[in-house]
Amino acid sequence: METTINSQPTPDYSDMTNTRQLRSSIRRLFGGTVHEIMSELLQNSQRAGATEVGICTSDDGGWTFTDNGHGLKAGLDGFWTLLRLAESYFNNPTIADQAPMGLGVHALLAHEQVSEVTFSSGQLSLTVDTERWWADEAYYTSWKDRVVATLDPVVGLHISVRSTPALVKTVRELALPRHHHSTGIRWSPFQGYADYLSVAMDGEPVVTDVPQWAIPTRCVIRTRYMGQELIIGGSWRENDTSDVEYIGAATVCWFGQMIDVPGLRGWSYHLKVRDGRPINPKSPSRQGVIEDSAFHALQEFVRDTIFSVLAKSENRHKVSPVVLKAAFNLDHQRAKAELPYVLVAPYTGLSEDELNFNGLQGRGKAVVLAYDAVPFLLRDGLYVDSKVETHKAEWERRLKQTIASQELAAEPAPAQAAEAEVDPFRAVEYGLDAFIPLLKAQGITPYELVLGDEHRLQTYDLYWKPGAARPDEFNEPGVWGLSATDAEPETWHAVTGVDTVFAFSDTSSYDPDEVDWVVGTTNARGFVRHEAWFAFWASDEEDYERQEEQYGDVLSAWLRKLIGDCIPADFQHSHIQKMMPTPTARITSVQFHYARKKRGVNPDKDLRSPIAITARNAAGERKRLLLVA
């Protein structure tokens, strides 16, 4: 006798599923792509033990999918199992590992561009009107009344689909293998099934091999994980010297279906699953994996294997510079602690090809060495005598003095605070490259430690004491030394064999006066024409040529100041006036002077440019001025 509460039947509290509501929500489990539909059909064929799949299309909106697997169970049970949610039947020894969810064909029935689907297997056939299938209870509960006998027995499973012509076009396009630069899905649904299925689309064979880019292009390790083949490596190029932290891409071929997996930092891997269950793909369409304990165990295995293999002496041939860099990208602290190798690169000095900031910090080809075989290591940057003021500080002081002198009522200068105690040397970021020839002259070939545990190595710092200040606002070259401790060097060497050494930490895109230069030179003009360009670093957000031109204009002004009586080669009237004793008097004449003409040069073909001028003004003054480019 049924118990009632307030005249209402007591609910069955053991029933934990609202079947009708769940059914109406099934369509939302799928992404609505044809790729997804084909993936589900192929996975069903693989599970049914098929070896061949044939797809035929027509322009009127029809297409068929046929396999030679074991087909459906005999009688109505086969169609009931096929159509019933969360139910499946496959005579396959690995089916427990694959854990089918029983929703595969519903991706086809749920697609809005599919209007009718006919399933045929053995001697029976059933046609489903997809519009009525999901919401019309009387229709989907009476499905068995529409099962009919086939004229001829059907081997395997035959699926006939009525859809829009647009969907048929997409089905045909699925047969085209994808390339790694393709947008969206990186492979066709057929790629990965080479071990199971041969597939034909409209009579033409379809590529089923695993995509080349899904397997690490640089294989470092081949091993097995839970009995499954595992390839570990990366997509690095051996000549890649950038410090980019590579993004690892991992893939799993899950019983034929390709699945993207979150990769490791800088490393890729490919797992080929043919039995067992090392990971848990997402259901119902295996578009990714569940990031659960099984997945994290796989990631940890890959990480441990990388460091274990690279640390063994017999695998030294696997540890190239790019592989070692990838290991440090993966786990910097672990690489320092566990790997017996360092990456070092020789200093090459200043570049003669790039007169800009890119010409600094040149390094030769990096090499992998054991800790006990590391050559002379020199730390990047240098230390400069703190008593030597930077060019920028002097420039700013002069600027302030100019502004103060122009103020009509200048406020009294503030009282100077007591000078704080400063270290005798200050760290400077750039300029070490200018000293490399001096080290090589001492028989030292310096290397930079790129990757490794610095605490296990002896590394030197370079110190520089610029010489006395020169009248041209630069310094004499001075002396330099090396120290492997925090103390200054015990031995100092004169800066010889080079005209100029320098140091700075700030670059500029427009004005070299803003650079915190410390310059020691015996050739100030040569520095302005050459080394001063190494602090030029153009901003990507502004016009390069305009920045380069303005930076060069300031250097030209420096050069003219060093030369004395000179003006720009492309001078203007105001340039001449400023150089005359009476700068307000108008210029009355300009006479050009040329270098001596070479013998045999036709006057009509004389392309010499003037090297100087003689200017006269209304005050009767006369002055010769050099022209400087």
Side-chain angles (χ1 to χ4, degrees), residues 41 77 99 319 412 445-446 512 530 535 546 574:
L41 297 181
D77 283 356
V319 189
T445 301
H530 191 269
R546 189 165 68 89
S574 60

PDB file of all heavy atoms in Angstrom, residues 41 77 99 319 412 445-446 512 530 535 546 574:
ATOM      1  N   LEU A  41      32.293   8.408 -34.066  1.00  0.00           N
ATOM      2  CA  LEU A  41      32.018   7.268 -34.941  1.00  0.00           C
ATOM      3  C   LEU A  41      33.266   6.408 -35.123  1.00  0.00           C
ATOM      4  O   LEU A  41      33.195   5.167 -35.112  1.00  0.00           O
ATOM      5  CB  LEU A  41      31.503   7.760 -36.294  1.00  0.00           C
ATOM      6  CG  LEU A  41      30.165   8.514 -36.267  1.00  0.00           C
ATOM      7  CD1 LEU A  41      29.766   8.929 -37.684  1.00  0.00           C
ATOM      8  CD2 LEU A  41      29.073   7.667 -35.623  1.00  0.00           C
ATOM      9  N   ASP A  77      17.979  -5.943 -29.095  1.00  0.00           N
ATOM     10  CA  ASP A  77      18.939  -5.578 -28.050  1.00  0.00           C
ATOM     11  C   ASP A  77      20.054  -4.693 -28.594  1.00  0.00           C
ATOM     12  O   ASP A  77      20.558  -3.805 -27.905  1.00  0.00           O
ATOM     13  CB  ASP A  77      19.548  -6.830 -27.419  1.00  0.00           C
ATOM     14  CG  ASP A  77      18.598  -7.494 -26.432  1.00  0.00           C
ATOM     15  OD1 ASP A  77      17.515  -6.917 -26.211  1.00  0.00           O
ATOM     16  OD2 ASP A  77      18.948  -8.554 -25.902  1.00  0.00           O
ATOM     17  N   ALA A  99      36.600   2.484 -21.127  1.00  0.00           N
ATOM     18  CA  ALA A  99      35.458   2.965 -20.335  1.00  0.00           C
ATOM     19  C   ALA A  99      34.506   3.815 -21.157  1.00  0.00           C
ATOM     20  O   ALA A  99      34.309   5.001 -20.894  1.00  0.00           O
ATOM     21  CB  ALA A  99      35.954   3.763 -19.126  1.00  0.00           C
ATOM     22  N   VAL A 319      72.923  15.709 -24.083  1.00  0.00           N
ATOM     23  CA  VAL A 319      72.851  17.015 -23.426  1.00  0.00           C
ATOM     24  C   VAL A 319      73.531  18.068 -24.301  1.00  0.00           C
ATOM     25  O   VAL A 319      74.689  18.420 -24.109  1.00  0.00           O
ATOM     26  CB  VAL A 319      73.490  16.978 -22.025  1.00  0.00           C
ATOM     27  CG1 VAL A 319      73.213  18.281 -21.281  1.00  0.00           C
ATOM     28  CG2 VAL A 319      72.963  15.797 -21.227  1.00  0.00           C
ATOM     29  N   PRO A 412      67.589  81.101  -3.015  1.00  0.00           N
ATOM     30  CA  PRO A 412      68.902  80.701  -2.498  1.00  0.00           C
ATOM     31  C   PRO A 412      69.059  79.178  -2.559  1.00  0.00           C
ATOM     32  O   PRO A 412      68.103  78.438  -2.370  1.00  0.00           O
ATOM     33  CB  PRO A 412      68.900  81.216  -1.067  1.00  0.00           C
ATOM     34  CG  PRO A 412      67.492  81.563  -0.738  1.00  0.00           C
ATOM     35  CD  PRO A 412      66.771  81.798  -2.034  1.00  0.00           C
ATOM     36  N   THR A 445      90.952  33.966 -22.011  1.00  0.00           N
ATOM     37  CA  THR A 445      89.754  33.877 -22.848  1.00  0.00           C
ATOM     38  C   THR A 445      88.556  33.765 -21.919  1.00  0.00           C
ATOM     39  O   THR A 445      88.304  32.690 -21.353  1.00  0.00           O
ATOM     40  CB  THR A 445      89.808  32.664 -23.793  1.00  0.00           C
ATOM     41  OG1 THR A 445      90.951  32.776 -24.627  1.00  0.00           O
ATOM     42  CG2 THR A 445      88.555  32.595 -24.656  1.00  0.00           C
ATOM     43  N   PRO A 446      87.832  34.847 -21.711  1.00  0.00           N
ATOM     44  CA  PRO A 446      86.760  34.833 -20.708  1.00  0.00           C
ATOM     45  C   PRO A 446      85.468  34.227 -21.246  1.00  0.00           C
ATOM     46  O   PRO A 446      85.110  34.406 -22.413  1.00  0.00           O
ATOM     47  CB  PRO A 446      86.579  36.311 -20.376  1.00  0.00           C
ATOM     48  CG  PRO A 446      86.944  37.017 -21.643  1.00  0.00           C
ATOM     49  CD  PRO A 446      88.015  36.187 -22.300  1.00  0.00           C
ATOM     50  N   PRO A 512      72.116  61.030 -26.429  1.00  0.00           N
ATOM     51  CA  PRO A 512      73.240  60.415 -25.706  1.00  0.00           C
ATOM     52  C   PRO A 512      73.646  61.189 -24.459  1.00  0.00           C
ATOM     53  O   PRO A 512      74.349  60.646 -23.603  1.00  0.00           O
ATOM     54  CB  PRO A 512      74.359  60.393 -26.753  1.00  0.00           C
ATOM     55  CG  PRO A 512      73.983  61.431 -27.752  1.00  0.00           C
ATOM     56  CD  PRO A 512      72.497  61.445 -27.791  1.00  0.00           C
ATOM     57  N   HIS A 530      82.043  56.340 -32.938  1.00  0.00           N
ATOM     58  CA  HIS A 530      81.893  54.889 -32.929  1.00  0.00           C
ATOM     59  C   HIS A 530      81.219  54.366 -31.653  1.00  0.00           C
ATOM     60  O   HIS A 530      80.026  54.060 -31.645  1.00  0.00           O
ATOM     61  CB  HIS A 530      83.280  54.242 -33.109  1.00  0.00           C
ATOM     62  CG  HIS A 530      83.229  52.780 -33.368  1.00  0.00           C
ATOM     63  ND1 HIS A 530      83.276  51.844 -32.359  1.00  0.00           N
ATOM     64  CD2 HIS A 530      83.147  52.076 -34.526  1.00  0.00           C
ATOM     65  CE1 HIS A 530      83.225  50.628 -32.879  1.00  0.00           C
ATOM     66  NE2 HIS A 530      83.148  50.731 -34.184  1.00  0.00           N
ATOM     67  N   ALA A 535      75.112  52.872 -26.911  1.00  0.00           N
ATOM     68  CA  ALA A 535      74.047  53.155 -25.938  1.00  0.00           C
ATOM     69  C   ALA A 535      72.737  53.525 -26.624  1.00  0.00           C
ATOM     70  O   ALA A 535      71.763  53.854 -25.948  1.00  0.00           O
ATOM     71  CB  ALA A 535      74.475  54.280 -25.002  1.00  0.00           C
ATOM     72  N   ARG A 546      63.681  58.454 -37.081  1.00  0.00           N
ATOM     73  CA  ARG A 546      63.659  59.750 -36.387  1.00  0.00           C
ATOM     74  C   ARG A 546      64.499  59.689 -35.117  1.00  0.00           C
ATOM     75  O   ARG A 546      65.223  60.630 -34.788  1.00  0.00           O
ATOM     76  CB  ARG A 546      62.211  60.138 -36.054  1.00  0.00           C
ATOM     77  CG  ARG A 546      62.068  61.566 -35.515  1.00  0.00           C
ATOM     78  CD  ARG A 546      60.618  62.004 -35.545  1.00  0.00           C
ATOM     79  NE  ARG A 546      59.801  61.266 -34.589  1.00  0.00           N
ATOM     80  CZ  ARG A 546      59.627  61.651 -33.324  1.00  0.00           C
ATOM     81  NH1 ARG A 546      60.218  62.744 -32.868  1.00  0.00           N
ATOM     82  NH2 ARG A 546      58.864  60.944 -32.519  1.00  0.00           N
ATOM     83  N   SER A 574      71.874  80.150 -39.392  1.00  0.00           N
ATOM     84  CA  SER A 574      72.049  80.379 -37.949  1.00  0.00           C
ATOM     85  C   SER A 574      73.303  79.721 -37.408  1.00  0.00           C
ATOM     86  O   SER A 574      73.917  80.216 -36.455  1.00  0.00           O
ATOM     87  CB  SER A 574      70.821  79.871 -37.194  1.00  0.00           C
ATOM     88  OG  SER A 574      70.646  78.477 -37.420  1.00  0.00           O
TER      89      SER A 574
END
